[in-house]
Amino acid sequence: MNSSVLYALSAAALFGASTPLAKLLGADMSPVLLAGLLYLGSGAGVLCVRCLRDRGWKASGLSAGEWPWLAGAIAFGGVLGPVALMYGLTLTSGATASLMLNLEPVLTALLAWVVFRENADRRIVAGMLAIIAGGVVLSLPSGQGASGMGSWLGPLAVAFACLCWAVDNNLTRKVSASDALYIAGAKGGVAGLVNCALATSLGARWPSVEVLSPTLLIGFLGYGVSLVLFVLALRGLGAARTGAYFSTAPFLGAVISIVILGESVSWLFWLAAAFMGLGVWLHLTEVHAHDHQHARLEHTHRHRHDEHHQHVHDADEPALEPHTHAHVHLPVRHSHPHFPDIHHRHRH
C-alpha cells in the first residue's frame, strides 16, 4: 500500500477516534470551548514536538509565495469553519448536521477538480461516491429526515462550514511540500486561540484540570497528529483522494464508539462499512500512467534520491537519506504510474 494512503487512513482513524473520546469528556462543556481546547491541544502539542525535533525554534521554511495559501487555510479551516459549524448546530438537529457534513469531501473534490485542475478518472469518482454513500448510511441511525431542523439557516451554516474546510484542504495542498509539523501547529494554534476566545466571550466556563488535561491530549492526537498525517497525505495524493480517504473517519469513529462506549451495531453500520470498503478498494487499485512533462521546479521537502530526485549535493547539504533541503527538478518527460502529488500537478 502506498505510504500516502496509510497517512490518510491513519489521519482519519485518529480524527474519528477523537469524537467519541471527546464526547466522554465534554458532556458538560460548551461545544465552542471544546472545539477550541481540542485545537489548542493540537497546536501546542505539535509545535512542542517540532521544537524537540529541531532542538529549538526553527524558521517555518515557507517561501513568500506560500504564506498567503497558509493564511487562507487557517482563516477558512481554523476560524470560519468551526464557528459556522457551532452556529449551525444550534439551529439544526444532530442527524441533519451529520448528513450535511458529508458535503465536505464532495466539495473538496469538486474544488480540486474544477478550480485547481487536479486529475480524477471514473474509478476515483466512483470510489468517492461509494465512500460518501457509506457516510450517509452511517449517519442514518441517529435520526431520519430533517424533522429537527430549526430553520434553513442551520443547514446552510453547516454547508458553509463544509465549504470552508474544502477550501482549507485545497489551500493546504498548495503548501503540503513544506514542514508538516509547522503547518499543523500553526493551524491548530490559531484555531484554538480564536475558538477559546469566542467561547470565553460567550460566557463558557473552563473545565477542571482533570478534564482539561485529557481534552488537550485528545486534541494533540486526534487533531494535531491527524493533521500532520493529513498534510503528508496531501503531499502524496492530492486533495480529492486524501479527502476521500479521510471521509472514512465517521466509520472509524463509530467503531471506537462500539468498542469503548458499548454502542449497539445495526445492519446499517455493516452496509456503511461495505460502501466505504468498496470505495477504498477502488482507490487502492487505481493505476494512472501516461506520458507527461515535468517543468523546472525548485522546492524543499523530505525526499530520497529516486527517479524524480537526481541532483548533486553541496558540501553543507545532508548526505544521509531521507533528508530535507532546497533542490531543483530539471525539465524531463517520461511515463510511469503516479498520483497528483507535489511532483505531478500537470494538466490532462
Side-chain angles (χ1 to χ4, degrees), residues 226-265:
S226 175
L227 183 53
V228 171
L229 294 171
F230 187 86
V231 172
L232 294 175
L234 284 173
R235 182 183 299 176
L237 297 174
R241 289 163 179 80
T242 301
Y245 285 121
F246 194 76
S247 62
T248 61
F251 168 73
L252 298 171
V255 173
I256 299 296
S257 296
I258 293 167
V259 174
I260 295 180
L261 304 181
E263 295 183 358
S264 60
V265 180

PDB file of all heavy atoms in Angstrom, residues 226-265:
ATOM      1  N   SER A 226      -3.154  13.907  13.653  1.00  0.00           N
ATOM      2  CA  SER A 226      -4.002  13.619  12.494  1.00  0.00           C
ATOM      3  C   SER A 226      -3.757  14.619  11.377  1.00  0.00           C
ATOM      4  O   SER A 226      -3.658  14.245  10.199  1.00  0.00           O
ATOM      5  CB  SER A 226      -5.476  13.646  12.913  1.00  0.00           C
ATOM      6  OG  SER A 226      -6.324  13.494  11.798  1.00  0.00           O
ATOM      7  N   LEU A 227      -3.634  15.904  11.717  1.00  0.00           N
ATOM      8  CA  LEU A 227      -3.427  16.927  10.696  1.00  0.00           C
ATOM      9  C   LEU A 227      -2.051  16.806  10.057  1.00  0.00           C
ATOM     10  O   LEU A 227      -1.902  17.016   8.848  1.00  0.00           O
ATOM     11  CB  LEU A 227      -3.615  18.318  11.297  1.00  0.00           C
ATOM     12  CG  LEU A 227      -3.490  19.505  10.333  1.00  0.00           C
ATOM     13  CD1 LEU A 227      -4.403  19.333   9.122  1.00  0.00           C
ATOM     14  CD2 LEU A 227      -3.792  20.811  11.046  1.00  0.00           C
ATOM     15  N   VAL A 228      -1.036  16.448  10.846  1.00  0.00           N
ATOM     16  CA  VAL A 228       0.297  16.221  10.278  1.00  0.00           C
ATOM     17  C   VAL A 228       0.236  15.111   9.229  1.00  0.00           C
ATOM     18  O   VAL A 228       0.771  15.247   8.121  1.00  0.00           O
ATOM     19  CB  VAL A 228       1.309  15.861  11.378  1.00  0.00           C
ATOM     20  CG1 VAL A 228       2.643  15.409  10.767  1.00  0.00           C
ATOM     21  CG2 VAL A 228       1.553  17.047  12.297  1.00  0.00           C
ATOM     22  N   LEU A 229      -0.429  14.019   9.569  1.00  0.00           N
ATOM     23  CA  LEU A 229      -0.566  12.905   8.631  1.00  0.00           C
ATOM     24  C   LEU A 229      -1.397  13.317   7.415  1.00  0.00           C
ATOM     25  O   LEU A 229      -1.121  12.886   6.286  1.00  0.00           O
ATOM     26  CB  LEU A 229      -1.212  11.712   9.336  1.00  0.00           C
ATOM     27  CG  LEU A 229      -0.383  11.073  10.447  1.00  0.00           C
ATOM     28  CD1 LEU A 229      -1.218  10.057  11.220  1.00  0.00           C
ATOM     29  CD2 LEU A 229       0.866  10.401   9.879  1.00  0.00           C
ATOM     30  N   PHE A 230      -2.404  14.154   7.641  1.00  0.00           N
ATOM     31  CA  PHE A 230      -3.244  14.635   6.538  1.00  0.00           C
ATOM     32  C   PHE A 230      -2.413  15.458   5.556  1.00  0.00           C
ATOM     33  O   PHE A 230      -2.557  15.313   4.334  1.00  0.00           O
ATOM     34  CB  PHE A 230      -4.394  15.473   7.102  1.00  0.00           C
ATOM     35  CG  PHE A 230      -5.423  15.885   6.082  1.00  0.00           C
ATOM     36  CD1 PHE A 230      -6.473  15.045   5.760  1.00  0.00           C
ATOM     37  CD2 PHE A 230      -5.346  17.122   5.450  1.00  0.00           C
ATOM     38  CE1 PHE A 230      -7.435  15.426   4.824  1.00  0.00           C
ATOM     39  CE2 PHE A 230      -6.288  17.514   4.515  1.00  0.00           C
ATOM     40  CZ  PHE A 230      -7.339  16.654   4.202  1.00  0.00           C
ATOM     41  N   VAL A 231      -1.536  16.319   6.075  1.00  0.00           N
ATOM     42  CA  VAL A 231      -0.680  17.133   5.207  1.00  0.00           C
ATOM     43  C   VAL A 231       0.258  16.237   4.409  1.00  0.00           C
ATOM     44  O   VAL A 231       0.479  16.447   3.210  1.00  0.00           O
ATOM     45  CB  VAL A 231       0.111  18.159   6.036  1.00  0.00           C
ATOM     46  CG1 VAL A 231       1.144  18.877   5.170  1.00  0.00           C
ATOM     47  CG2 VAL A 231      -0.837  19.185   6.669  1.00  0.00           C
ATOM     48  N   LEU A 232       0.832  15.218   5.064  1.00  0.00           N
ATOM     49  CA  LEU A 232       1.712  14.288   4.353  1.00  0.00           C
ATOM     50  C   LEU A 232       0.945  13.541   3.263  1.00  0.00           C
ATOM     51  O   LEU A 232       1.490  13.276   2.188  1.00  0.00           O
ATOM     52  CB  LEU A 232       2.325  13.295   5.343  1.00  0.00           C
ATOM     53  CG  LEU A 232       3.299  13.893   6.374  1.00  0.00           C
ATOM     54  CD1 LEU A 232       3.727  12.824   7.372  1.00  0.00           C
ATOM     55  CD2 LEU A 232       4.514  14.505   5.683  1.00  0.00           C
ATOM     56  N   ALA A 233      -0.321  13.205   3.536  1.00  0.00           N
ATOM     57  CA  ALA A 233      -1.140  12.542   2.520  1.00  0.00           C
ATOM     58  C   ALA A 233      -1.428  13.486   1.360  1.00  0.00           C
ATOM     59  O   ALA A 233      -1.388  13.078   0.190  1.00  0.00           O
ATOM     60  CB  ALA A 233      -2.441  12.042   3.146  1.00  0.00           C
ATOM     61  N   LEU A 234      -1.729  14.757   1.667  1.00  0.00           N
ATOM     62  CA  LEU A 234      -1.938  15.746   0.603  1.00  0.00           C
ATOM     63  C   LEU A 234      -0.719  15.849  -0.295  1.00  0.00           C
ATOM     64  O   LEU A 234      -0.835  15.981  -1.515  1.00  0.00           O
ATOM     65  CB  LEU A 234      -2.224  17.123   1.213  1.00  0.00           C
ATOM     66  CG  LEU A 234      -3.609  17.379   1.807  1.00  0.00           C
ATOM     67  CD1 LEU A 234      -3.622  18.726   2.517  1.00  0.00           C
ATOM     68  CD2 LEU A 234      -4.680  17.341   0.732  1.00  0.00           C
ATOM     69  N   ARG A 235       0.464  15.773   0.323  1.00  0.00           N
ATOM     70  CA  ARG A 235       1.713  15.862  -0.430  1.00  0.00           C
ATOM     71  C   ARG A 235       1.809  14.741  -1.454  1.00  0.00           C
ATOM     72  O   ARG A 235       2.330  14.946  -2.557  1.00  0.00           O
ATOM     73  CB  ARG A 235       2.885  15.802   0.554  1.00  0.00           C
ATOM     74  CG  ARG A 235       4.260  15.932  -0.053  1.00  0.00           C
ATOM     75  CD  ARG A 235       5.341  15.774   1.009  1.00  0.00           C
ATOM     76  NE  ARG A 235       5.238  16.797   2.051  1.00  0.00           N
ATOM     77  CZ  ARG A 235       6.018  16.826   3.129  1.00  0.00           C
ATOM     78  NH1 ARG A 235       6.918  15.879   3.327  1.00  0.00           N
ATOM     79  NH2 ARG A 235       5.882  17.785   4.015  1.00  0.00           N
ATOM     80  N   GLY A 236       1.320  13.548  -1.111  1.00  0.00           N
ATOM     81  CA  GLY A 236       1.491  12.395  -1.986  1.00  0.00           C
ATOM     82  C   GLY A 236       0.291  12.017  -2.819  1.00  0.00           C
ATOM     83  O   GLY A 236       0.434  11.296  -3.811  1.00  0.00           O
ATOM     84  N   LEU A 237      -0.925  12.495  -2.423  1.00  0.00           N
ATOM     85  CA  LEU A 237      -2.140  12.044  -3.104  1.00  0.00           C
ATOM     86  C   LEU A 237      -2.947  13.159  -3.753  1.00  0.00           C
ATOM     87  O   LEU A 237      -3.770  12.891  -4.631  1.00  0.00           O
ATOM     88  CB  LEU A 237      -3.057  11.316  -2.108  1.00  0.00           C
ATOM     89  CG  LEU A 237      -2.537  10.032  -1.478  1.00  0.00           C
ATOM     90  CD1 LEU A 237      -3.515   9.553  -0.413  1.00  0.00           C
ATOM     91  CD2 LEU A 237      -2.321   8.961  -2.530  1.00  0.00           C
ATOM     92  N   GLY A 238      -2.752  14.389  -3.329  1.00  0.00           N
ATOM     93  CA  GLY A 238      -3.615  15.457  -3.783  1.00  0.00           C
ATOM     94  C   GLY A 238      -4.824  15.597  -2.877  1.00  0.00           C
ATOM     95  O   GLY A 238      -5.073  14.765  -2.001  1.00  0.00           O
ATOM     96  N   ALA A 239      -5.613  16.662  -3.083  1.00  0.00           N
ATOM     97  CA  ALA A 239      -6.719  16.985  -2.181  1.00  0.00           C
ATOM     98  C   ALA A 239      -7.904  16.035  -2.313  1.00  0.00           C
ATOM     99  O   ALA A 239      -8.489  15.611  -1.321  1.00  0.00           O
ATOM    100  CB  ALA A 239      -7.173  18.424  -2.424  1.00  0.00           C
ATOM    101  N   ALA A 240      -8.306  15.704  -3.541  1.00  0.00           N
ATOM    102  CA  ALA A 240      -9.514  14.899  -3.740  1.00  0.00           C
ATOM    103  C   ALA A 240      -9.362  13.502  -3.151  1.00  0.00           C
ATOM    104  O   ALA A 240     -10.238  13.024  -2.420  1.00  0.00           O
ATOM    105  CB  ALA A 240      -9.842  14.817  -5.222  1.00  0.00           C
ATOM    106  N   ARG A 241      -8.261  12.830  -3.443  1.00  0.00           N
ATOM    107  CA  ARG A 241      -8.056  11.470  -2.950  1.00  0.00           C
ATOM    108  C   ARG A 241      -7.863  11.455  -1.440  1.00  0.00           C
ATOM    109  O   ARG A 241      -8.393  10.590  -0.743  1.00  0.00           O
ATOM    110  CB  ARG A 241      -6.858  10.832  -3.667  1.00  0.00           C
ATOM    111  CG  ARG A 241      -7.131  10.503  -5.133  1.00  0.00           C
ATOM    112  CD  ARG A 241      -5.842  10.268  -5.899  1.00  0.00           C
ATOM    113  NE  ARG A 241      -6.083   9.918  -7.298  1.00  0.00           N
ATOM    114  CZ  ARG A 241      -6.360  10.786  -8.258  1.00  0.00           C
ATOM    115  NH1 ARG A 241      -6.468  12.078  -7.953  1.00  0.00           N
ATOM    116  NH2 ARG A 241      -6.551  10.388  -9.497  1.00  0.00           N
ATOM    117  N   THR A 242      -7.110  12.414  -0.914  1.00  0.00           N
ATOM    118  CA  THR A 242      -6.931  12.482   0.534  1.00  0.00           C
ATOM    119  C   THR A 242      -8.259  12.736   1.224  1.00  0.00           C
ATOM    120  O   THR A 242      -8.570  12.117   2.247  1.00  0.00           O
ATOM    121  CB  THR A 242      -5.932  13.599   0.896  1.00  0.00           C
ATOM    122  OG1 THR A 242      -4.677  13.344   0.260  1.00  0.00           O
ATOM    123  CG2 THR A 242      -5.719  13.667   2.397  1.00  0.00           C
ATOM    124  N   GLY A 243      -9.063  13.646   0.670  1.00  0.00           N
ATOM    125  CA  GLY A 243     -10.374  13.912   1.241  1.00  0.00           C
ATOM    126  C   GLY A 243     -11.267  12.689   1.243  1.00  0.00           C
ATOM    127  O   GLY A 243     -12.026  12.460   2.189  1.00  0.00           O
ATOM    128  N   ALA A 244     -11.172  11.882   0.200  1.00  0.00           N
ATOM    129  CA  ALA A 244     -11.989  10.663   0.128  1.00  0.00           C
ATOM    130  C   ALA A 244     -11.591   9.675   1.216  1.00  0.00           C
ATOM    131  O   ALA A 244     -12.444   9.128   1.917  1.00  0.00           O
ATOM    132  CB  ALA A 244     -11.830  10.017  -1.247  1.00  0.00           C
ATOM    133  N   TYR A 245     -10.298   9.438   1.374  1.00  0.00           N
ATOM    134  CA  TYR A 245      -9.845   8.529   2.435  1.00  0.00           C
ATOM    135  C   TYR A 245     -10.216   9.068   3.814  1.00  0.00           C
ATOM    136  O   TYR A 245     -10.625   8.322   4.704  1.00  0.00           O
ATOM    137  CB  TYR A 245      -8.334   8.325   2.350  1.00  0.00           C
ATOM    138  CG  TYR A 245      -7.883   7.420   1.218  1.00  0.00           C
ATOM    139  CD1 TYR A 245      -7.018   7.876   0.240  1.00  0.00           C
ATOM    140  CD2 TYR A 245      -8.329   6.106   1.139  1.00  0.00           C
ATOM    141  CE1 TYR A 245      -6.600   7.056  -0.805  1.00  0.00           C
ATOM    142  CE2 TYR A 245      -7.929   5.277   0.106  1.00  0.00           C
ATOM    143  CZ  TYR A 245      -7.060   5.752  -0.863  1.00  0.00           C
ATOM    144  OH  TYR A 245      -6.662   4.932  -1.883  1.00  0.00           O
ATOM    145  N   PHE A 246     -10.065  10.387   3.999  1.00  0.00           N
ATOM    146  CA  PHE A 246     -10.333  10.978   5.305  1.00  0.00           C
ATOM    147  C   PHE A 246     -11.811  10.916   5.656  1.00  0.00           C
ATOM    148  O   PHE A 246     -12.161  10.929   6.839  1.00  0.00           O
ATOM    149  CB  PHE A 246      -9.848  12.428   5.325  1.00  0.00           C
ATOM    150  CG  PHE A 246      -9.784  13.015   6.710  1.00  0.00           C
ATOM    151  CD1 PHE A 246      -8.754  12.679   7.579  1.00  0.00           C
ATOM    152  CD2 PHE A 246     -10.755  13.904   7.146  1.00  0.00           C
ATOM    153  CE1 PHE A 246      -8.692  13.208   8.853  1.00  0.00           C
ATOM    154  CE2 PHE A 246     -10.702  14.441   8.424  1.00  0.00           C
ATOM    155  CZ  PHE A 246      -9.666  14.091   9.278  1.00  0.00           C
ATOM    156  N   SER A 247     -12.678  10.841   4.658  1.00  0.00           N
ATOM    157  CA  SER A 247     -14.108  10.788   4.940  1.00  0.00           C
ATOM    158  C   SER A 247     -14.536   9.453   5.532  1.00  0.00           C
ATOM    159  O   SER A 247     -15.700   9.266   5.872  1.00  0.00           O
ATOM    160  CB  SER A 247     -14.922  11.085   3.674  1.00  0.00           C
ATOM    161  OG  SER A 247     -14.685  10.128   2.668  1.00  0.00           O
ATOM    162  N   THR A 248     -13.602   8.498   5.669  1.00  0.00           N
ATOM    163  CA  THR A 248     -13.903   7.260   6.399  1.00  0.00           C
ATOM    164  C   THR A 248     -13.857   7.487   7.904  1.00  0.00           C
ATOM    165  O   THR A 248     -14.173   6.578   8.674  1.00  0.00           O
ATOM    166  CB  THR A 248     -12.910   6.138   6.038  1.00  0.00           C
ATOM    167  OG1 THR A 248     -11.576   6.545   6.391  1.00  0.00           O
ATOM    168  CG2 THR A 248     -12.950   5.831   4.542  1.00  0.00           C
ATOM    169  N   ALA A 249     -13.481   8.691   8.358  1.00  0.00           N
ATOM    170  CA  ALA A 249     -13.363   8.981   9.791  1.00  0.00           C
ATOM    171  C   ALA A 249     -14.646   8.690  10.576  1.00  0.00           C
ATOM    172  O   ALA A 249     -14.577   8.137  11.676  1.00  0.00           O
ATOM    173  CB  ALA A 249     -12.920  10.429   9.995  1.00  0.00           C
ATOM    174  N   PRO A 250     -15.859   9.054  10.065  1.00  0.00           N
ATOM    175  CA  PRO A 250     -17.062   8.729  10.836  1.00  0.00           C
ATOM    176  C   PRO A 250     -17.230   7.234  11.074  1.00  0.00           C
ATOM    177  O   PRO A 250     -17.664   6.817  12.150  1.00  0.00           O
ATOM    178  CB  PRO A 250     -18.200   9.281   9.953  1.00  0.00           C
ATOM    179  CG  PRO A 250     -17.560  10.342   9.135  1.00  0.00           C
ATOM    180  CD  PRO A 250     -16.174   9.857   8.865  1.00  0.00           C
ATOM    181  N   PHE A 251     -16.878   6.412  10.070  1.00  0.00           N
ATOM    182  CA  PHE A 251     -16.975   4.969  10.245  1.00  0.00           C
ATOM    183  C   PHE A 251     -15.986   4.494  11.309  1.00  0.00           C
ATOM    184  O   PHE A 251     -16.329   3.715  12.198  1.00  0.00           O
ATOM    185  CB  PHE A 251     -16.700   4.254   8.919  1.00  0.00           C
ATOM    186  CG  PHE A 251     -16.507   2.770   9.057  1.00  0.00           C
ATOM    187  CD1 PHE A 251     -17.582   1.944   9.325  1.00  0.00           C
ATOM    188  CD2 PHE A 251     -15.248   2.201   8.940  1.00  0.00           C
ATOM    189  CE1 PHE A 251     -17.410   0.577   9.472  1.00  0.00           C
ATOM    190  CE2 PHE A 251     -15.063   0.842   9.080  1.00  0.00           C
ATOM    191  CZ  PHE A 251     -16.151   0.020   9.344  1.00  0.00           C
ATOM    192  N   LEU A 252     -14.756   4.984  11.223  1.00  0.00           N
ATOM    193  CA  LEU A 252     -13.751   4.586  12.203  1.00  0.00           C
ATOM    194  C   LEU A 252     -14.113   5.090  13.595  1.00  0.00           C
ATOM    195  O   LEU A 252     -13.869   4.409  14.595  1.00  0.00           O
ATOM    196  CB  LEU A 252     -12.378   5.120  11.771  1.00  0.00           C
ATOM    197  CG  LEU A 252     -11.881   4.579  10.424  1.00  0.00           C
ATOM    198  CD1 LEU A 252     -10.626   5.311   9.968  1.00  0.00           C
ATOM    199  CD2 LEU A 252     -11.604   3.085  10.513  1.00  0.00           C
ATOM    200  N   GLY A 253     -14.716   6.275  13.662  1.00  0.00           N
ATOM    201  CA  GLY A 253     -15.188   6.770  14.947  1.00  0.00           C
ATOM    202  C   GLY A 253     -16.306   5.917  15.507  1.00  0.00           C
ATOM    203  O   GLY A 253     -16.391   5.686  16.717  1.00  0.00           O
ATOM    204  N   ALA A 254     -17.170   5.413  14.614  1.00  0.00           N
ATOM    205  CA  ALA A 254     -18.252   4.530  15.055  1.00  0.00           C
ATOM    206  C   ALA A 254     -17.699   3.225  15.618  1.00  0.00           C
ATOM    207  O   ALA A 254     -18.223   2.681  16.603  1.00  0.00           O
ATOM    208  CB  ALA A 254     -19.199   4.248  13.895  1.00  0.00           C
ATOM    209  N   VAL A 255     -16.634   2.723  15.004  1.00  0.00           N
ATOM    210  CA  VAL A 255     -16.000   1.506  15.521  1.00  0.00           C
ATOM    211  C   VAL A 255     -15.495   1.736  16.942  1.00  0.00           C
ATOM    212  O   VAL A 255     -15.682   0.893  17.836  1.00  0.00           O
ATOM    213  CB  VAL A 255     -14.842   1.065  14.599  1.00  0.00           C
ATOM    214  CG1 VAL A 255     -14.063  -0.091  15.228  1.00  0.00           C
ATOM    215  CG2 VAL A 255     -15.376   0.656  13.233  1.00  0.00           C
ATOM    216  N   ILE A 256     -14.859   2.890  17.174  1.00  0.00           N
ATOM    217  CA  ILE A 256     -14.368   3.226  18.508  1.00  0.00           C
ATOM    218  C   ILE A 256     -15.534   3.329  19.495  1.00  0.00           C
ATOM    219  O   ILE A 256     -15.447   2.873  20.640  1.00  0.00           O
ATOM    220  CB  ILE A 256     -13.578   4.546  18.480  1.00  0.00           C
ATOM    221  CG1 ILE A 256     -12.355   4.415  17.561  1.00  0.00           C
ATOM    222  CG2 ILE A 256     -13.139   4.952  19.878  1.00  0.00           C
ATOM    223  CD1 ILE A 256     -11.331   3.417  18.024  1.00  0.00           C
ATOM    224  N   SER A 257     -16.637   3.940  19.045  1.00  0.00           N
ATOM    225  CA  SER A 257     -17.816   4.064  19.904  1.00  0.00           C
ATOM    226  C   SER A 257     -18.354   2.704  20.313  1.00  0.00           C
ATOM    227  O   SER A 257     -18.772   2.499  21.451  1.00  0.00           O
ATOM    228  CB  SER A 257     -18.909   4.862  19.188  1.00  0.00           C
ATOM    229  OG  SER A 257     -18.498   6.183  18.942  1.00  0.00           O
ATOM    230  N   ILE A 258     -18.325   1.766  19.383  1.00  0.00           N
ATOM    231  CA  ILE A 258     -18.812   0.414  19.669  1.00  0.00           C
ATOM    232  C   ILE A 258     -17.925  -0.264  20.702  1.00  0.00           C
ATOM    233  O   ILE A 258     -18.392  -0.882  21.659  1.00  0.00           O
ATOM    234  CB  ILE A 258     -18.871  -0.411  18.374  1.00  0.00           C
ATOM    235  CG1 ILE A 258     -19.943   0.161  17.439  1.00  0.00           C
ATOM    236  CG2 ILE A 258     -19.138  -1.879  18.663  1.00  0.00           C
ATOM    237  CD1 ILE A 258     -19.866  -0.363  16.032  1.00  0.00           C
ATOM    238  N   VAL A 259     -16.611  -0.104  20.522  1.00  0.00           N
ATOM    239  CA  VAL A 259     -15.664  -0.784  21.409  1.00  0.00           C
ATOM    240  C   VAL A 259     -15.619  -0.139  22.792  1.00  0.00           C
ATOM    241  O   VAL A 259     -15.659  -0.824  23.815  1.00  0.00           O
ATOM    242  CB  VAL A 259     -14.254  -0.793  20.774  1.00  0.00           C
ATOM    243  CG1 VAL A 259     -13.234  -1.373  21.747  1.00  0.00           C
ATOM    244  CG2 VAL A 259     -14.261  -1.575  19.477  1.00  0.00           C
ATOM    245  N   ILE A 260     -15.542   1.218  22.838  1.00  0.00           N
ATOM    246  CA  ILE A 260     -15.347   1.917  24.108  1.00  0.00           C
ATOM    247  C   ILE A 260     -16.664   2.211  24.812  1.00  0.00           C
ATOM    248  O   ILE A 260     -16.803   1.989  26.015  1.00  0.00           O
ATOM    249  CB  ILE A 260     -14.564   3.229  23.882  1.00  0.00           C
ATOM    250  CG1 ILE A 260     -13.145   2.914  23.382  1.00  0.00           C
ATOM    251  CG2 ILE A 260     -14.499   4.054  25.163  1.00  0.00           C
ATOM    252  CD1 ILE A 260     -12.296   4.138  23.130  1.00  0.00           C
ATOM    253  N   LEU A 261     -17.635   2.727  24.064  1.00  0.00           N
ATOM    254  CA  LEU A 261     -18.896   3.139  24.673  1.00  0.00           C
ATOM    255  C   LEU A 261     -19.942   2.031  24.692  1.00  0.00           C
ATOM    256  O   LEU A 261     -21.012   2.202  25.263  1.00  0.00           O
ATOM    257  CB  LEU A 261     -19.462   4.359  23.920  1.00  0.00           C
ATOM    258  CG  LEU A 261     -18.535   5.586  23.829  1.00  0.00           C
ATOM    259  CD1 LEU A 261     -19.235   6.714  23.092  1.00  0.00           C
ATOM    260  CD2 LEU A 261     -18.107   6.033  25.210  1.00  0.00           C
ATOM    261  N   GLY A 262     -19.634   0.913  24.038  1.00  0.00           N
ATOM    262  CA  GLY A 262     -20.571  -0.209  24.048  1.00  0.00           C
ATOM    263  C   GLY A 262     -21.839   0.045  23.277  1.00  0.00           C
ATOM    264  O   GLY A 262     -22.884  -0.547  23.579  1.00  0.00           O
ATOM    265  N   GLU A 263     -21.788   0.912  22.268  1.00  0.00           N
ATOM    266  CA  GLU A 263     -22.973   1.194  21.475  1.00  0.00           C
ATOM    267  C   GLU A 263     -23.322   0.005  20.580  1.00  0.00           C
ATOM    268  O   GLU A 263     -22.456  -0.732  20.143  1.00  0.00           O
ATOM    269  CB  GLU A 263     -22.739   2.449  20.624  1.00  0.00           C
ATOM    270  CG  GLU A 263     -22.561   3.711  21.460  1.00  0.00           C
ATOM    271  CD  GLU A 263     -22.412   4.962  20.608  1.00  0.00           C
ATOM    272  OE1 GLU A 263     -22.404   4.824  19.364  1.00  0.00           O
ATOM    273  OE2 GLU A 263     -22.305   6.060  21.182  1.00  0.00           O
ATOM    274  N   SER A 264     -24.600  -0.159  20.324  1.00  0.00           N
ATOM    275  CA  SER A 264     -25.061  -1.298  19.534  1.00  0.00           C
ATOM    276  C   SER A 264     -24.766  -1.094  18.053  1.00  0.00           C
ATOM    277  O   SER A 264     -24.566   0.026  17.592  1.00  0.00           O
ATOM    278  CB  SER A 264     -26.561  -1.510  19.745  1.00  0.00           C
ATOM    279  OG  SER A 264     -27.276  -0.351  19.352  1.00  0.00           O
ATOM    280  N   VAL A 265     -24.760  -2.194  17.311  1.00  0.00           N
ATOM    281  CA  VAL A 265     -24.476  -2.172  15.882  1.00  0.00           C
ATOM    282  C   VAL A 265     -25.732  -2.599  15.128  1.00  0.00           C
ATOM    283  O   VAL A 265     -26.311  -3.641  15.421  1.00  0.00           O
ATOM    284  CB  VAL A 265     -23.320  -3.130  15.527  1.00  0.00           C
ATOM    285  CG1 VAL A 265     -23.036  -3.088  14.042  1.00  0.00           C
ATOM    286  CG2 VAL A 265     -22.084  -2.767  16.318  1.00  0.00           C
TER     287      VAL A 265
END
